[in-house]
Amino acid sequence: MNYFQKNKKNIIIGVIATLLIAALVALWLQKKVIHSSDDIVGVVYPSTLKVGDTLSFEDKTQFAKNKIWNFGDGTTSDKNKGIHFYNKPGYYQVTLIVDNKYSKSFPIIVSARTVPKKDSVKTVTLIDAPSQAMQFENVQFRAISDGKQFTWKFGETGRIDSKDKLAIYSYQKPGNYVVSLITDETVEPVLHQIKILPAYDALEEEVSVEDSYAKIDNDFKYHLQQIAYGNSFNMHYNYLLRTYLCNNENTVVKVNDSKVNNFYMYCAGLQFDKNNIIQTVKVNFDDAQNCVTKVDINQSK
């Protein structure tokens, strides 16, 4: 009896064991080393969206060393995850390419974004204007209307004052006025009430020079504080500019005995930094006592 016949059983068992081990090794290699497109773990959502909507993408493929997302509209990304926007409607194939070998595609449908139809009901005519302004200030009145013809009466002259959609008017006397607007879209006049404050209080003859200057200082301080509070910048700024500064926006302003600025830049900064409290204001006139040439201001937060 030869060796094979003697050990036939053991040889068969050895061959079977070897084949089994080889199969297990092949299966392990397939899972760990050998991959296919089916092993790609990527998500793209939603699959239907409108132009401008957000498309989200994410790749969780464990074996991927590098990846490229191709969105089908000429753009790509090498990020693991992110968002994308389509500018045009259409059918797109988002393709994820892993390690330059394996790929997986995701169909995306992008539809046009519908533009809401304009309401057929005509806009109600309104007057956009302040409810309070200063004497001699240029006040802006704007008609909110679909009309083409406009007739303004600002209540001071008793006649038609403007026929423009955007009108500018300066009241010469303080008081309460009713503004009237008639358009080709209205049956009755649209009304608006406005209060015009006096530009300044006339100083009584018997008031001392010191009191006169103190009154001017306080008036100046009041309007600067209104700007700091965030109230109408144009109204208070133009009032000070016209009443005291002879329309010179470059008048010197000195803040807290150190910082020097011109009047316009100071007020512009004050408008955006609304936490300042104006403590004192001291104005300095020119030799003719007509125009303020310098303003000394003390302020704090």
Side-chain angles (χ1 to χ4, degrees):
M1 183 179 292
N2 58 31
Y3 176 81
F4 177 77
Q5 291 175 330
K6 265 183 172 181
N7 299 281
K8 181 177 180 181
K9 183 176 179 181
N10 292 332
I11 291 173
I12 293 173
I13 293 173
V15 170
I16 294 174
T18 301
L19 292 175
L20 182 60
I21 292 172
L24 291 174
V25 170
L27 182 61
W28 180 84
L29 288 174
Q30 184 177 6
K31 287 190 175 182
K32 296 297 181 179
V33 181
I34 302 172
H35 303 288
S36 69
S37 297
D38 293 335
D39 297 322
I40 293 177
V41 183
V43 290
V44 177
Y45 57 93
S47 58
T48 59
L49 64 160
K50 295 183 182 295
V51 171
D53 285 349
T54 301
L55 178 76
S56 299
F57 61 91
E58 183 176 4
D59 175 43
K60 296 181 179 180
T61 305
Q62 296 295 324
F63 65 85
K65 295 179 181 178
N66 59 70
K67 63 200 68 179
I68 291 291
W69 290 93
N70 188 324
F71 299 104
D73 60 352
T75 62
T76 60
S77 173
D78 59 358
K79 306 296 183 183
N80 283 332
K81 64 179 180 178
I83 58 175
H84 183 70
F85 303 96
Y86 287 100
N87 296 320
K88 295 180 180 179
Y91 176 81
Y92 297 90
Q93 282 278 0
V94 177
T95 303
L96 172 60
I97 304 171
V98 174
D99 295 342
N100 297 319
K101 293 185 187 180
Y102 316 110
S103 64
K104 187 173 185 178
S105 296
F106 308 85
I108 301 296
I109 299 176
V110 180
S111 57
R113 184 172 293 279
T114 57
V115 179
K117 294 182 179 180
K118 188 176 180 181
D119 193 349
S120 59
V121 178
K122 294 181 179 179
T123 304
V124 177
T125 299
L126 300 172
I127 295 175
D128 179 19
S131 58
Q132 182 174 291
M134 301 296 294
Q135 182 185 6
F136 306 126
E137 177 189 0
N138 287 332
V139 185
Q140 178 177 288
F141 297 88
R142 182 168 66 94
I144 302 176
S145 171
D146 290 332
K148 303 298 181 184
Q149 299 177 1
F150 306 92
T151 301
W152 293 94
K153 291 183 179 181
F154 298 118
E156 186 175 37
T157 64
R159 60 178 182 270
I160 295 175
D161 297 297
S162 177
K163 291 190 175 182
D164 297 320
K165 187 172 185 178
L166 177 64
I168 305 293
Y169 186 77
S170 176
Y171 286 92
Q172 302 304 301
K173 296 180 180 180
N176 295 312
Y177 296 92
V178 176
V179 179
S180 170
L181 170 64
I182 299 176
T183 76
D184 54 332
E185 297 289 333
T186 56
V187 178
E188 298 291 335
V190 179
L191 304 180
H192 175 79
Q193 293 186 347
I194 185 170
K195 182 178 182 179
I196 303 301
L197 303 175
Y200 59 91
D201 295 329
L203 299 176
E204 300 293 337
E205 293 182 1
E206 61 271 19
V207 176
S208 66
V209 174
E210 291 79 5
D211 289 341
S212 299
Y213 282 129
K215 191 168 187 177
I216 293 172
D217 291 342
N218 289 333
D219 188 43
F220 212 103
K221 172 185 173 183
Y222 167 78
H223 290 282
L224 287 180
Q225 190 63 66
Q226 293 306 306
I227 293 175
Y229 285 153
N231 295 329
S232 174
F233 177 84
N234 288 335
M235 181 177 76
H236 297 287
Y237 176 81
N238 289 329
Y239 167 77
L240 293 174
L241 191 67
R242 181 178 56 248
T243 306
Y244 299 115
L245 306 183
C246 298
N247 293 313
N248 181 13
E249 293 184 316
N250 291 315
T251 299
V252 175
V253 175
K254 191 172 184 181
V255 181
N256 293 339
D257 295 325
S258 59
K259 189 176 180 180
V260 176
N261 213 335
N262 66 40
F263 182 69
Y264 172 76
M265 294 302 295
Y266 170 73
C267 289
L270 197 64
Q271 179 188 18
F272 293 104
D273 188 4
K274 299 182 176 64
N275 296 321
N276 282 296
I277 300 298
I278 311 300
Q279 296 173 330
T280 62
V281 173
K282 180 67 177 177
V283 299
N284 299 274
F285 281 89
D286 57 13
D287 294 338
Q289 299 295 302
N290 292 326
C291 302
V292 171
T293 58
K294 181 183 177 185
V295 184
D296 291 299
I297 299 171
N298 284 318
Q299 65 184 40
S300 63
K301 291 283 189 179

